[in-house]
Amino acid sequence: MRVRFAPSPTGFLHIGGLRTALYNYLLARKHGGVFILRIEDTDRSRFVPEAEQDILDCLAWAGLEFDQGPEKEGDCGPYHQSKRSTLYEAAADTLVESGNAYIAFDTAEEIEVMRERHRTQDNPSPRYDLITRSEMSNSLTLSAQEVERRVGSGEPHVVRLLVQPGKSVQFDDFVRGTVTFESDTVDDQILVKSDGLPTYHLANIVDDHEMGITHVIRGEEWLPSTPKHILLYEALGWTAPRMAHLPLILSPTGGKLSKRNAEKQGIPVTVRQYRDAGYEPQAVVNFLAMLGWNPGDERELFSLEELVEAFSLERVGQAGVQFDLQKLSWYNQNYLRGRSSADIAGQMHPRITEQFGECSLESVVAAIDLMKERMVYAHDILEAAFLFERPLAYDEKSVKKKWKEDSGDLLKSFTRVLESTQHWTSDGLESALQSAIAELDIGVGQLMFPVRLALSGQPSGPGLYDMMVYFGRAETLFRLNDAAQRLP
RNA sequence: GCCGCGUUCGUCUAGGGGUUUAGGACGCCGCCCUUUCACGGCGGUAACACGGGUUCAAAUCCCGUACGCGGUACCA
């Protein structure tokens, strides 16, 4: 088995592209096959220089290692279509010679005029096909000498696929079963553009054949052009690979998860955005895997290795799937919890020192220990500012609600108990507080809430005693006294 | 318009003729835990698009309709 992921470097890698790459990767690994990365850079007008590096970075980030591709030569390179021109030229020549393709000289304007002429209410976009090609300037309507003269004089021209009418083009799709198209509904696809570069359709099938691709796994948007590809394989006398068209990822409101559509709803569309937003790569991978595929049992959490084990094309769904950011967060929370506090602390330490000033790595580890259960993203730790600096202000609502006239005095009384507390541990501090409220003859809440407020400035947070242990005696006493002074 | 693909809780889905009072997960709601918030535990909410057929029996098979999505480029 040989599969490939073949993105175009026209922009940053789309999240849907990553899913396509993932499914290809999983299938290859599952069957001990080869996973190839091929850069389809045949559109010069949309070429984005940084795009290729982004594709490489994002695949690496997600842990999808390819076997062959740019900077990883294998048995069928090069892996950029821009470096494989001779292959496409040869295929185009073969097709023209065998009468399966022809040369056309029409300019964009001439084609537009033809479309205008044939346009009706019922046919808003006339094709270049059986009906119309006879009235255009191409090697089917011009004499051989005239064609030769025009080509010889350097007149711009394209190569078009000659689609024969009345044929039923059929193929078996792994996820959709048998799909049939009538050749009458297929247009004479341009194979070689007037700049001499092949279109996707030609380059793609030439490369898939040359690279020995056995399974093509791609998005459903390619389904309508598959009959063209099948026709090309037939015309070249090649065996077509097996096809699998994946359900499209839709926006939560339906419709394509396009840049505009998605960003309006706060959904990142490029993999880079997920990386930058602090998503765990495993969470993204796991989430993406479940978007259109399921293992057939009730498991939800899968490592990449487990996905390889469980994956199969048979269990890929057929209906479009809506993207759900909340489910992704749930995955993220799960994978974050799976990481050690030391690991997360190591990642976040630089940002914490940058934001709050110098602090030891050990203290960050302790802070993560305190917060981990209530974090969804690694950077959530930054929101718990009180762990790294003294509260600048106290949550107004809580003060209004919980801070009573005697709270300051109670806090001061408590500091006297804490000064002499023997065991500065969670248990020791709990009994210290218990004895304090017994002595003062008050309810637990009357003391607990002011203490929490004094320590964190917040109405909620980690366990009170654990927090005191984290701060230590001196800092705890300082914050208690400070609050008693600053609050009314 | 035409061509193609699709349609089970709000979302991702299981189920593919009888085992289904349609199962799980996310979300939402409630209770418990915790005198905080989260985590966790327990419970609840909520779906077979519609209409015909086939059959003793249909979410499951067939046909139609509706709706959604994709394609309809010298883009991929």
Side-chain angles (χ1 to χ4, degrees), chain A residues 281-293:
Chain A
Q282 287 173 300
V284 172
V285 165
N286 197 155
F287 169 70
L288 247 27
M290 306 302 272
L291 221 49
W293 171 84

Side-chain angles (χ1 to χ4, degrees), chain A residues 106-114:
Chain A
D106 320 281
T107 63
E109 293 72 32
E110 285 163 350
I111 291 170
E112 189 41 45
V113 168
M114 175 276 281

Side-chain angles (χ1 to χ4, degrees), chain A residues 238-289:
Chain A
W238 297 339
T239 306
R242 301 277 267 118
M243 299 287 175
H245 287 93
L246 270 21
L248 257 22
I249 298 179
L250 273 20
S251 124
T253 51
K256 214 155 73 168
L257 191 66
S258 65
K259 202 170 193 164
R260 240 190 86 188
N261 198 343
E263 269 162 11
K264 214 162 29 182
Q265 297 171 69
I267 297 175
V269 279
T270 67
V271 179
R272 154 193 290 239
Q273 286 173 304
Y274 286 90
R275 199 214 309 147
D276 294 349
Y279 283 91
E280 303 290 322
Q282 287 173 300
V284 172
V285 165
N286 197 155
F287 169 70
L288 247 27

